[in-house]
Amino acid sequence: MYKVIDIPGLVPFVQKYISSGWEGISTFSILVVIAFLAASYLLPKELERRNLEPSHADWLLILGVFGTFVGAKVFFIFEIWDQIFVDTPGFDGKYLYPLTHADGFPGRPGLWSSLFSGSGLVFYGGFLFGILFISLYMIQNKLDVKSYLDATIPSMALGYAIGRLGCFVSGDGCYGFATHQHIPLLTFTYWPTSAVPSGVPVWNTPVMEAFVSFLFFIYFQKWARFQNFKKFSLGAQYLILHGLARLAIEFLRVNKAVIPFFDPPVQSNIPGATGETTTFLNGYYWHGFSQSQYVSIAIILVGIYFLVKWKLWEKEPVPA
């Protein structure tokens, strides 16, 4: 007989934050699965082509996906930190209250409810944690970290492109602010049932990022991986290319500045689905580097550092 372990409060927690209100599989989830399947097809083939061990592909993918979701949630909490831990009249315990109350302060996102919700994912958190998890796996198994990371780059670029399309079809929060330009695919008016309905044309930043990342995938898949560059050249190139693309697109996105260079918009926090989104998006503008832009600059510098230090533009000598 199996003994059922009863953890006090676990069932109500699961019912409230994991199983309640489920309305079926979302389009974002479907595209995430497609991205995973695409990577699971490409990665073993690339490992085999490089005379590496394809048997490690499954663990690299699983740990990469797991690390991506963990890191994306952790960075999301840092991004909305000022909305969770606030000075609210009538409430004592700015830091204690969100820790002990799953929903946080009334009318604001809660710490625990945000952590375990289906929305709220910050890419760079997932990117860094994903690399960390698979790097630890490779170190633990005494694998050639540089070579294995290079092998993952085409799959990573493709997975990111598909994931950004998932953000677009779900109407998630990676959209741009309002614009009077009318450029096919580059501007878009989100439908009323999206996560944050706009009712006004906005910069279609998810599709922009998806398109650029597809170009990166073609570059790495069709050309760069056959050039016999030194180990980790593809990794360093991807850090630089992706960092530059993300840095540029962030100028059009709705994202709060870490340290504002200009006066921020009057309504600086992203409103909920019932908020006055039209006014908010029309009044939004870039007012300083966001968290993602600072991370972009950091990974660009890291990529340049390794590129120069190890002269990664050079090619490995061809065996006689």
Side-chain angles (χ1 to χ4, degrees):
M1 294 293 292
Y2 291 101
K3 181 180 180 182
V4 178
I5 300 175
D6 181 25
I7 302 176
L10 177 61
V11 173
F13 180 86
V14 171
Q15 289 176 337
K16 185 173 184 180
Y17 295 108
I18 298 179
S19 62
S20 65
W22 188 72
E23 298 178 353
I25 299 175
S26 66
T27 50
F28 176 76
S29 301
I30 292 172
L31 284 167
V32 167
V33 171
I34 292 174
F36 178 82
L37 292 175
S40 65
Y41 172 78
L42 293 173
L43 183 55
K45 290 182 176 295
E46 180 62 10
L47 291 176
E48 186 175 2
R49 190 190 70 84
R50 291 173 174 267
N51 295 318
L52 302 173
E53 299 179 46
S55 58
H56 292 291
D58 290 342
W59 273 112
L60 292 176
L61 287 169
I62 292 170
L63 290 173
V65 170
F66 180 69
T68 294
F69 281 103
V70 171
K73 273 298 182 181
V74 170
F75 269 59
F76 175 64
I77 295 301
F78 279 109
E79 195 169 79
I80 62 170
W81 191 261
D82 61 328
Q83 300 177 58
I84 294 176
F85 296 96
V86 295
D87 289 317
T88 303
F91 289 92
D92 295 326
K94 173 180 177 180
Y95 298 104
L96 182 61
Y97 189 89
L99 293 175
T100 57
H101 293 70
D103 289 323
F105 291 106
R108 295 185 178 273
L111 174 62
W112 307 116
S113 57
S114 297
L115 272 174
F116 293 99
S117 69
S119 60
L121 299 172
V122 175
F123 166 73
Y124 270 135
F127 179 77
L128 297 175
F129 272 65
I131 290 180
L132 172 64
F133 280 27
I134 64 175
S135 296
L136 291 175
Y137 171 82
M138 290 185 284
I139 293 171
Q140 174 67 28
N141 288 275
K142 297 180 172 58
L143 304 179
D144 186 342
V145 176
K146 294 179 184 177
S147 295
Y148 276 84
L149 283 177
D150 273 350
T152 67
I153 295 303
S155 299
M156 191 179 300
L158 180 61
Y160 182 72
I162 297 174
R164 272 302 181 220
L165 288 179
C167 292
F168 168 66
V169 297
S170 66
D172 205 352
C174 54
Y175 48 83
F177 46 78
T179 175
H180 296 296
Q181 304 297 322
H182 297 282
I183 307 172
L185 295 181
L186 298 186
T187 60
F188 187 79
T189 302
Y190 278 95
W191 43 88
T193 56
S194 61
V196 183
S198 66
V200 295
V202 297
W203 289 108
N204 197 353
T205 50
V207 168
M208 291 180 190
E209 287 191 86
F211 176 74
V212 172
S213 196
F214 272 122
L215 293 180
F216 292 162
F217 167 69
I218 293 171
Y219 166 73
F220 287 112
Q221 180 72 9
K222 298 298 183 182
W223 187 81
R225 68 191 181 112
F226 299 114
Q227 299 308 303
N228 200 34
F229 288 120
K230 286 184 174 180
K231 294 178 181 178
F232 197 61
S233 176
L234 268 62
Q237 290 180 56
Y238 183 70
L239 290 176
I240 296 169
L241 290 173
H242 181 82
L244 288 171
R246 183 63 184 264
L247 177 66
I249 290 175
E250 282 286 310
F251 284 104
L252 300 177
R253 278 192 61 198
V254 172
N255 248 336
K256 292 177 295 182
V258 176
I259 302 175
F261 296 160
F262 313 104
D263 291 336
V266 175
Q267 192 175 10
S268 59
N269 286 332
I270 299 173
T274 58
E276 186 49 56
T277 320
T278 302
T279 302
F280 168 72
L281 291 170
N282 274 303
Y284 206 92
Y285 52 85
W286 184 86
H287 53 285
F289 288 119
S290 64
Q291 172 183 280
S292 293
Q293 286 184 305
Y294 281 113
V295 177
S296 296
I297 293 171
I299 68 169
I300 291 169
L301 294 176
V302 169
I304 293 174
Y305 171 78
F306 286 121
L307 191 72
V308 173
K309 179 181 179 181
W310 293 331
K311 298 181 179 179
L312 298 179
W313 58 84
E314 296 179 352
K315 298 184 179 182
E316 297 283 4
V318 179

